[in-house]
Amino acid sequence: MDAQDTNSTRPYLIRALYEWCTDNGFTPFIAVQVDDSVRVPHEFVKDGEIVLNVSFDATSALKLGNEFIEFKGRFGGVARDILVPVHRVLAIYARENGQGMAFPVSALPEATEAKAPAIEPKPSALAPVPVKPDDGGPDTPRPSGGRPSLTRVK
């Protein structure tokens, strides 16, 4: 078995850092590079990226899988189904101190790209309302100073 046949370490590292954050009472956030394979509320995407609060309190039915991160989250009081391919995660870090890990941007060739599971859209009578930055919602800004300082580990 060579390196090309092995699974990516990214989903395992994401799960490990998620567990580290929760064990230490921190709020785990993920930064995601958005493209057509990412299912998030696009009104909260800024500069092609979105930061999501993936803490226990902010999500429902969270699944940190090897190919996808799936959960239900509230954006402006409206429940949304979120689906993020693991290869689109740029970083996972603790909101409180910025400690975590950044990942290189990776694009899988179309032939090997995993297909997203079908999620039935649910009609909503409520229009999404932007979440205020200081309410701890999924679009809470990154720690002060812009991007968190993370160290790339190979």
Side-chain angles (χ1 to χ4, degrees):
M1 179 180 270
D2 61 23
Q4 292 178 340
D5 293 335
T6 62
N7 293 333
S8 169
T9 58
R10 189 178 302 213
Y12 300 94
L13 294 170
I14 290 170
R15 285 191 292 269
L17 286 166
Y18 176 88
E19 186 174 330
W20 174 82
C21 283
T22 57
D23 285 354
N24 286 285
F26 297 137
T27 308
F29 275 39
I30 59 171
V32 178
Q33 184 175 40
V34 177
D35 68 1
D36 292 339
S37 67
V38 178
R39 293 190 190 145
V40 295
H42 287 279
E43 60 269 26
F44 295 101
V45 175
K46 293 178 185 145
D47 298 325
E49 293 182 15
I50 189 168
V51 176
L52 301 167
N53 178 345
V54 291
S55 69
F56 180 77
D57 294 337
T59 63
S60 172
L62 176 66
K63 294 179 188 171
L64 299 172
N66 285 348
E67 294 181 17
F68 296 100
I69 296 173
E70 301 176 69
F71 62 93
K72 294 176 194 286
R74 297 188 77 74
F75 292 80
V78 178
R80 302 281 190 91
D81 289 320
I82 305 300
L83 180 84
V84 176
V86 169
H87 72 275
R88 302 308 296 177
V89 174
L90 297 172
I92 180 168
Y93 61 94
R95 178 185 69 188
E96 293 78 4
N97 61 13
Q99 289 186 355
M101 181 178 289
F103 301 101
V105 177
S106 67
L108 294 178
E110 288 184 30
T112 61
E113 192 166 324
K115 298 295 180 194
I119 296 177
E120 295 291 324
K122 296 177 184 167
S124 174
L126 301 174
V129 178
V131 177
K132 294 179 185 172
D134 61 348
D135 71 353
D139 67 333
T140 300
R142 295 179 177 120
S144 63
R147 291 184 75 98
S149 64
L150 301 173
T151 305
R152 178 180 283 177
V153 177
K154 292 186 179 190

